[in-house]
Amino acid sequence: MTQGAGQGPEVERTAVLRDFRVPAYVNETGPYGHSTHPGDVIPAHEETYPEGYTPTEQDLPVINPGEGPQAAADPVSREVDGPGPLFVVGDVHGYLDELLAALQEKGLVDAAGEWCAGTARLWFLGDFTDRGPDGIGVIDLVMRLSAEAAAAGGYCKALMGNHELLLIGAKRFGDTPVNSGAGTATFQAAWLLNGGQKTDMDRLQDHHLQWMSRLDAVEQVDGHLLVHSDTTAYLDYGDSIEAVNDTVRETLTRNDADEVWDLFRKFTKRFSFRDEGGADHVRSLLDTYGGARIVHGHSPIPYLLGEVGSEDGEDESGPVVEGPHVYADGLAIGMDGGVTMAGKLLVQQLPLDI
């Protein structure tokens, strides 16, 4: 299997709707800090919506870094024989403090943020940047943990999310017009619209871009098919995991703005497993790529549940994310706890005990 950056050997289409609202993001001023769309927004003229579809009415409030209880846990025990325990991490979106707290709670890192889990295996499902205060800090952490875990006999790996594609495109192509299929658009405008942070762009370096560009899009581990987006668009890029990953990487290597935009647009689609026929859509991916269950991020669990919360945070009856969301006849596991809202950054050991 073709491996991406830091990847050692191992072994629909409802569009996002423009009337989502999100408060200003922390630690930013000016246009970078005032994205008005918490979903991943494609310019409105590009997408059509199914008849009768109702968008989420309002977003959940943004939380500040470091809020909420944080508990430490014992380090993950080392396995004498065979691979260590498997963990997955949902969307992070720049919330470095919350990520470190969640990893420490599961015993994967110590109080200094260093790997302490021995042979454990850790997969990030993508979307490291945008919306939150320190996306580059998150990438730096994942890259460092990859080296530390490998030295301890485990691993820390990551998948390509649509926000990685967006950041790559904004850096490479900026305001260059791209063919959106119904007019023109630019990566720069889309990045700003979807919570792009100026501090991330200012700190983005070549080694970050190279690392992101080499990430795999799909992997299968212990019977779990790992992807970022809850979409069947992966099927457009190959009939095997290796083919999909090669196609995505080759698209980025060709450096054609229109091709990269099309890739970003398709990876931004969501809700393919939630709506009518969702279980069949999951089965189409499992039948093609293998695995007994699909594990994804991308769509916040409150959206998958059709629940909304108060913008001012005073509505205590709003949805509370306690853990992953299992749905689509038990074939899909949603891992985006909505950390950019009044949600939770999820780190979960697999398999789920359900």
Side-chain angles (χ1 to χ4, degrees):
M1 182 179 301
T2 302
Q3 302 293 334
Q7 320 285 32
E10 167 63 25
V11 76
E12 148 164 0
R13 319 238 202 195
T14 306
V16 181
L17 305 183
R18 289 182 56 86
D19 53 358
F20 288 170
R21 298 192 296 273
V22 68
Y25 290 97
V26 296
N27 293 0
E28 287 298 327
T29 59
Y32 297 95
H34 295 281
S35 168
T36 57
H37 304 270
D40 301 300
V41 181
I42 301 296
H45 54 259
E46 281 198 47
E47 304 287 349
T48 58
Y49 312 118
E51 182 178 355
Y53 181 80
T54 302
T56 302
E57 292 180 0
Q58 55 182 330
D59 203 5
L60 299 174
V62 168
I63 61 175
N64 294 318
E67 286 186 348
Q70 299 179 1
D74 294 331
V76 174
S77 59
R78 290 176 179 265
E79 295 286 338
V80 177
D81 297 309
L86 175 64
F87 293 82
V88 290
V89 184
D91 298 33
V92 182
H93 284 300
Y95 283 85
L96 179 60
D97 291 344
E98 284 73 18
L99 173 59
L100 284 167
L103 292 173
Q104 186 177 353
E105 182 181 355
K106 294 295 184 179
L108 294 165
V109 302
D110 60 22
E114 297 179 351
W115 183 264
C116 65
T119 60
R121 298 167 294 160
L122 178 63
W123 275 97
F124 285 81
L125 300 179
D127 277 9
F128 304 106
T129 67
D130 302 336
R131 306 194 178 127
D134 195 1
I136 298 302
V138 170
I139 292 176
D140 285 337
L141 173 66
V142 176
M143 294 175 69
R144 174 171 61 78
L145 291 179
S146 295
E148 293 175 358
Y155 68 64
C156 171
K157 302 182 182 182
L159 293 180
M160 173 80 71
N162 59 304
H163 279 260
E164 282 68 67
L165 292 168
L166 183 57
L167 184 58
I168 291 169
K171 181 66 172 180
R172 287 185 182 180
F173 307 118
D175 288 324
T176 301
V178 294
N179 181 10
S180 68
T184 58
T186 72
F187 272 104
Q188 179 74 7
W191 176 70
L192 291 173
L193 191 63
N194 287 284
Q197 303 292 301
K198 184 178 185 299
T199 51
D200 283 345
M201 187 62 76
D202 289 345
R203 296 162 59 203
L204 183 64
Q205 300 179 38
D206 287 344
H207 69 274
H208 298 128
L209 289 168
Q210 293 168 5
W211 181 81
M212 288 189 292
S213 297
R214 295 172 56 199
L215 294 174
D216 286 337
V218 185
E219 280 294 349
Q220 202 250 101
V221 187
D222 293 355
H224 298 90
L225 185 64
L226 308 181
V227 298
H228 173 69
S229 303
D230 46 326
T231 177
T232 58
Y234 295 94
L235 296 170
D236 296 341
Y237 293 95
D239 58 4
S240 70
I241 290 175
E242 183 177 21
V244 173
N245 292 333
D246 285 347
T247 300
V248 170
R249 214 155 14 245
E250 289 164 3
T251 299
L252 291 171
T253 300
R254 283 193 295 270
N255 209 34
D256 180 275
D258 288 331
E259 284 191 65
V260 178
W261 178 266
D262 189 61
L263 184 63
F264 160 69
R265 180 181 62 84
K266 288 182 177 178
F267 276 31
T268 298
K269 294 182 178 180
R270 66 176 80 232
F271 298 150
S272 184
F273 313 149
R274 184 197 69 175
D275 298 330
E276 184 177 357
D280 290 335
H281 291 155
V282 176
R283 291 187 184 97
S284 69
L285 289 166
L286 296 176
D287 290 345
T288 301
Y289 303 128
R293 247 182 190 170
I294 197 163
V295 184
H296 70 86
H298 190 47
S299 291
I301 289 171
Y303 295 165
L304 294 174
L305 294 171
E307 297 175 337
V308 296
S310 169
E311 287 189 57
D312 57 17
E314 296 178 357
D315 182 4
E316 297 182 358
S317 66
V320 177
V321 176
E322 297 290 351
H325 174 51
V326 180
Y327 67 115
D329 292 350
L331 297 174
I333 302 174
M335 280 292 301
D336 184 352
V339 67
T340 64
M341 304 170 258
K344 183 177 182 180
L345 199 159
L346 295 178
V347 178
Q348 178 64 46
Q349 184 172 354
L350 297 177
L352 291 180
D353 184 18
I354 60 171

